[in-house]
Amino acid sequence: MGDVAGVILAAGYSSRAGDFKMTHEIMGKPVIEYVIENMFNVCNRITVVSGFHAEKLVYLSKKYSKLQVVYNEHFNNGMFSSVLVGLRQTNGKKLFIIPGDYPAVSLDTFGIMINHCDVNILLPRYEGKPGHPVLISNNAKRQLLIGSFKTLYDYIMEYGFESVDINDAGILMDIDYPNDYYEIERQLVHEKDDYYDNRCSQQRKNDSIAKIV
């Protein structure tokens, strides 16, 4: 796995979503906990950057080992301010950056990206469209922090990036409006069904091998 860290951006107002989307529950689990758990096994440490409703996220550092919650006092300045706060508080040879409203990004996506060849900036791509998370090297992190960029997109476009094709529609699915919760739930159910089918298929293969030997 190597020295891998994750930064989850969770400081925004959620004004279009109808409620605070980080703690909105889908199938009994808060949105942000899906993000944490999907990246948990590939990261040595995770930083959640809070801002608006920061008090609602404090519990995460007690629930999850190797996770810290840091407060962005300038969250009014937009998401990129949280990117900078998170990166300053997090060290790793590789670092994932992901908004906290991408709960349908699968565990496999994080693993595939980590095992991809070493590059400074890597984006996942589904059906030709880039999505989240962004994976950057420690060197790319240093360049971002000393630069004068206005957004993460500006930095990526100037620095350059590589892409890896992923069979995961979740990399494109964030939450902006109330109806998005239902789309996310459908995707999560689909991923759960695929996982179960794959487990059953593997078990059948294992049973067949056991009969042979």
Side-chain angles (χ1 to χ4, degrees):
M1 180 176 66
D3 186 17
V4 182
V7 174
I8 301 175
L9 311 172
Y13 286 104
S14 306
S15 55
R16 294 175 295 178
D19 62 354
F20 185 54
K21 54 189 174 182
M22 297 299 124
T23 53
H24 181 97
E25 291 193 357
I26 299 178
M27 297 190 295
K29 182 186 295 184
V31 164
I32 195 168
E33 291 191 21
Y34 283 100
V35 183
I36 293 168
E37 291 174 11
N38 286 340
M39 70 192 311
F40 198 81
N41 288 339
V42 301
C43 291
N44 300 98
R45 65 199 67 84
I46 296 172
T47 297
V48 173
V49 184
S50 67
F52 183 66
H53 278 325
E55 73 283 354
K56 294 186 177 183
L57 301 179
V58 173
Y59 80 96
L60 292 171
S61 62
K62 297 180 180 178
K63 182 170 183 177
Y64 296 98
S65 62
K66 66 185 180 185
L67 182 148
Q68 64 172 342
V69 179
V70 300
Y71 179 67
N72 174 17
E73 62 182 8
H74 301 296
F75 68 90
N76 281 323
N77 293 336
M79 184 181 291
F80 190 58
S81 68
S82 292
V83 172
L84 298 178
V85 169
L87 292 180
R88 290 187 183 114
Q89 296 288 330
T90 311
N91 294 311
K93 291 182 178 179
K94 295 181 179 181
L95 302 99
F96 282 109
I97 304 170
I98 184 170
D101 62 343
Y102 276 78
V105 177
S106 73
L107 173 62
D108 287 344
T109 291
F110 290 98
I112 290 169
M113 292 181 70
I114 282 297
N115 291 322
H116 195 70
C117 60
D118 287 335
V119 296
N120 279 314
I121 301 177
L122 182 66
L123 302 181
R125 184 171 57 195
Y126 177 73
E127 295 186 347
K129 298 178 181 179
H132 281 285
V134 178
L135 180 63
I136 67 173
S137 68
N138 191 50
N139 181 60
K141 167 193 165 180
R142 288 195 298 267
Q143 295 300 317
L144 189 156
L145 291 177
I146 65 175
S148 56
F149 305 98
K150 301 297 184 182
T151 68
L152 183 60
Y153 175 83
D154 291 343
Y155 167 70
I156 292 172
M157 290 300 103
E158 180 169 327
Y159 203 86
F161 66 94
E162 293 190 25
S163 300
V164 56
D165 289 315
I166 301 284
N167 186 25
D168 180 8
I171 70 167
L172 305 177
M173 300 179 70
D174 62 341
I175 300 167
D176 287 326
Y177 301 101
N179 284 343
D180 293 333
Y181 292 120
Y182 301 106
E183 295 297 324
I184 292 288
E185 182 172 343
R186 280 195 285 268
Q187 178 64 18
L188 290 170
V189 169
H190 174 71
E191 290 177 2
K192 185 177 181 180
D193 289 343
D194 283 350
Y195 176 78
Y196 177 76
D197 289 344
N198 290 336
R199 287 291 300 273
C200 289
S201 176
Q202 185 61 50
Q203 185 60 52
R204 286 193 294 269
K205 290 180 181 178
N206 292 343
D207 291 344
S208 297
I209 293 171
K211 290 178 181 179
I212 294 172
V213 299

